[in-house]
Amino acid sequence: MAKKTVTKRKSGSAKAAQKKSTKKPASRAGAGAQKKPASRKSAKARPPKGPVWQWSALQTAAAIGSGAISSMEVVEAHIARMRDINPKLNAVVVDLSEQALKAAKAADNARTRRAELGALHGVPITIKENVDYEGRPNPNGVAAQMNIIAPSDAPVVRNLKKAGAIVIGLTNTPEFSFRGFTDNPLHGLTLNPWDPDITCGGSSGGAGAAVAAGIGTIAHGNDIGGSLRWPAHCNGVATIKPTQGRVPAYNESAAAERPMLAHLMSAQGPLARSVGDVRTALEVMSQRDPRDPWWVAAPLVGPKPKGPIKVALAKLPDDMDVAPSVRAALRQAADHLERSGYRVSEIEVPDINGVWQTWCDIIANETAMLQEAGMLKVTSPDFHAAWSGIKSKANTLDLLGWMRATAARNTHIRAWQLFLEDFPVVLAPTTVKPTPGPREDAISPERTRELFWNDLRFISAINVLGLPGAVVPVTLHEGQPIGVQLIAGRYREDLALDAAAAIEKRAGTLVPQLWEKMA
């Protein structure tokens, strides 16, 4: 809870601000850019309604920047929420409260000095425990790797800190971040805040569960086969898997460079409770870092397509076992887009089956060649079962087969790029089945194959294409969130997020219902 001593600052406490002014918080139009110092008049602005931990990142940044509340008060509120709810979820596995409070004090001092404020100045966030955080272990869910200490912050961490964000904790991930279910012998199982009997997703499951439950306004995650979009679906929040090269990535602690295709299929990104926060976090995260040779200085907003924008509602393959609730959610999302001025047509997308198989072949063979032996020595039977399921669905490739698979990747990308010329946005499922149990992939290799091939085909396939994909929640079915995926062309995250925002405007956000349930 906020300390009383904080309310003695010249800027005034949130309570005093409510009594003395009716001015609204200053807006946060652009992320990543530096802001002008707050004026003395704006220091008396009115804060948003509701508990501090329920505010969006944009609302929080505006309230801090205007002086309606101090960063110390905000961080203390989020720490209190974390300590109240995290023991039930196990989403945050490293508590950084002590250094977060020091950072909050420094943030308030900077504002008092009338310093320029970053877009997320004083705003609490979480970081996934598989990227470098200076001075901390980077175990990636594996106890045997607790001796790997990060000598510097990863680019995404550095960019968030530069924008003023305050890290209150590190979130859980499965062993080697290689499962779609967040559980490991090092930290244990992370539960879904909506229902402990369903998974929170993975590998950014701790991130998704934390931000949905109100621990931090933005959660960092990453995605090589659905690890941002799947947890967003499971936890009822929004995300964007950016285009390959949009957000810089690098772990100085790594013993060796990642192989090329793993790097090209992986992306760092944000999870948040609203599309607006996702957009802001993406802009902050995507600032240049010279340590990533694949980073691209592409604009965040491209030319607007001629209206009405055509959306392809992806026709689901005949061999997919699809739940009626998923079909209904896709139709509901399509209706929201139609009412927002988009033109939606159900149409078959380019060779989704072949795209998925290419992803599976590349990631399985690359991993088997370079990492498998080392991983199996230090991982659990659950990991072995999940890995066996993925590997068994892949074709074993020799050098010639590998060269053909990487060439096929280019063919698939070209086909999708040409398709997206006519349909700038594709509306697709995240999963086609109800959210499974928290350790479903460890049941057997056969169950893992079913999950990735049948249920999650439209998620993992997009990684090999390097295309951006947003996820936004649409509805609840039997108390469980259902989200949909919006796919756009390379470096057109803006089109995917615009479509997601149009759905969110009509569907609303789901987390208020979660908070009522948790109260």
Side-chain angles (χ1 to χ4, degrees):
M1 299 299 291
K3 295 181 180 179
K4 293 183 179 179
T5 53
V6 177
T7 63
K8 296 180 180 179
R9 305 184 69 83
K10 290 183 180 180
S11 61
S13 69
K15 184 175 180 180
Q18 284 180 304
K19 293 181 178 180
K20 296 180 181 180
S21 174
T22 58
K23 292 188 177 181
K24 295 181 179 179
S27 64
R28 291 263 169 179
Q34 296 297 310
K35 305 299 174 185
K36 294 181 180 179
S39 67
R40 293 186 182 276
K41 289 184 178 180
S42 66
K44 297 179 181 180
R46 186 182 298 276
K49 296 180 180 180
V52 172
W53 58 264
Q54 292 184 5
W55 300 352
S56 71
L58 290 171
Q59 288 175 321
T60 303
I64 293 171
S66 68
I69 195 170
S70 69
S71 177
M72 183 67 78
E73 289 173 296
V74 169
V75 170
E76 286 181 326
H78 278 266
I79 289 173
R81 177 64 176 175
M82 178 170 65
R83 291 178 177 170
D84 177 46
I85 204 67
N86 191 61
K88 305 170 188 175
L89 300 178
N90 192 38
V92 175
V93 292
V94 177
D95 187 333
L96 297 178
S97 297
E98 185 176 344
Q99 70 180 63
L101 291 170
K102 291 179 181 178
K105 182 178 180 180
D108 288 333
N109 288 339
R111 186 185 176 281
T112 301
R113 296 194 309 270
R114 301 172 65 83
E116 290 188 342
L117 307 183
L120 295 175
H121 185 83
V123 176
I125 66 166
T126 61
I127 298 293
K128 184 177 177 181
E129 199 192 29
N130 73 344
V131 298
D132 280 358
Y133 195 92
E134 185 175 358
R136 294 287 319 170
N138 183 356
N140 201 7
V142 180
Q145 298 193 149
M146 281 296 289
N147 62 336
I148 299 175
I149 306 301
S152 63
D153 285 335
V156 69
V157 177
R158 182 176 293 182
N159 284 340
L160 285 162
K161 287 183 176 180
K162 281 182 180 178
I166 295 176
V167 182
I168 61 172
L170 308 182
T171 57
N172 204 16
T173 187
E175 295 164 276
F176 289 104
S177 298
F178 215 80
R179 294 170 60 192
F181 298 74
T182 302
D183 184 26
N184 60 66
L186 176 61
H187 296 304
L189 176 69
T190 297
L191 299 181
N192 188 313
W194 290 90
D195 185 346
D197 292 330
I198 62 172
T199 182
C200 63
S203 62
S204 307
V211 77
I215 304 171
T217 62
I218 292 166
H220 154 264
N222 32 50
D223 188 320
I224 197 171
S227 292
L228 283 164
R229 291 157 293 152
W230 174 227
H233 167 94
C234 294
N235 295 284
V237 296
T239 193
I240 182 78
K241 182 202 81 66
T243 309
Q244 174 270 316
R246 168 68 76 188
V247 178
Y250 173 65
N251 282 331
E252 188 178 352
S253 69
E257 293 281 357
R258 298 186 79 178
M260 183 176 69
L261 268 296
H263 196 108
L264 294 183
M265 295 194 296
S266 179
Q268 308 291 319
L271 298 103
R273 298 185 289 266
S274 68
V275 175
D277 282 357
V278 168
R279 196 188 299 268
T280 296
L282 173 66
E283 188 169 350
V284 166
M285 290 178 170
S286 63
Q287 301 303 303
R288 176 181 179 269
D289 191 299
R291 295 175 292 174
D292 185 350
W294 294 98
W295 180 81
V296 177
L300 281 159
V301 178
K304 187 174 182 179
K306 293 181 180 179
I309 297 175
K310 294 167 66 179
V311 176
L313 171 57
K315 185 178 179 181
L316 304 182
D318 293 337
D319 68 329
M320 270 188 165
D321 181 13
V322 183
S325 58
V326 171
R327 292 190 188 276
L330 284 166
R331 176 44 59 192
Q332 187 175 343
D335 289 344
H336 291 328
L337 290 173
E338 286 275 5
R339 293 178 182 181
S340 300
Y342 291 83
R343 182 179 295 168
V344 182
S345 302
E346 185 170 2
I347 189 170
E348 189 171 334
V349 297
D351 193 13
I352 192 68
N353 296 350
V355 173
W356 185 94
Q357 190 63 56
T358 300
W359 168 82
C360 186
D361 289 350
I362 287 175
I363 197 169
N365 281 269
E366 205 168 67
T367 301
M369 182 63 66
L370 296 174
Q371 298 171 280
E372 180 181 41
M375 291 195 307
L376 293 180
K377 288 180 181 178
V378 296
T379 47
S380 67
D382 285 354
F383 177 92
H384 292 192
W387 164 239
S388 295
I390 295 173
K391 187 179 177 183
S392 66
K393 188 62 179 170
N395 297 304
T396 301
L397 305 177
D398 57 12
L399 180 58
L400 179 60
W402 171 256
M403 294 172 70
R404 286 174 173 164
T406 56
R409 174 179 179 267
N410 293 337
T411 301
H412 289 310
I413 292 173
R414 183 179 300 109
W416 273 76
Q417 282 291 94
L418 291 171
F419 182 83
L420 289 162
E421 287 290 301
D422 293 328
F423 294 89
V425 177
V426 174
L427 170 61
T430 50
T431 177
V432 297
K433 298 289 284 182
T435 304
R439 292 189 175 97
E440 196 86 6
D441 64 332
I443 292 175
S444 67
E446 292 75 21
R447 181 62 177 132
T448 302
R449 287 201 302 272
E450 180 183 34
L451 285 163
F452 276 89
W453 170 246
N454 183 80
D455 300 14
L456 304 176
R457 196 181 311 176
F458 273 91
I459 286 187
S460 300
I462 303 307
N463 288 84
V464 77
L465 299 172
L467 297 175
V471 165
V472 64
V474 177
T475 188
L476 292 174
H477 177 70
E478 297 182 351
Q480 300 176 8
I482 298 179
V484 295
Q485 184 177 197
L486 290 311
I487 304 161
R490 291 172 67 81
Y491 303 104
R492 292 313 305 266
E493 290 89 352
D494 57 326
L495 294 180
L497 290 171
D498 287 347
I503 293 172
E504 180 184 81
K505 185 176 181 179
R506 294 183 178 276
T509 57
L510 298 184
V511 287
Q513 297 179 63
L514 170 63
W515 298 333
E516 288 181 10
K517 182 179 178 181
M518 297 175 76

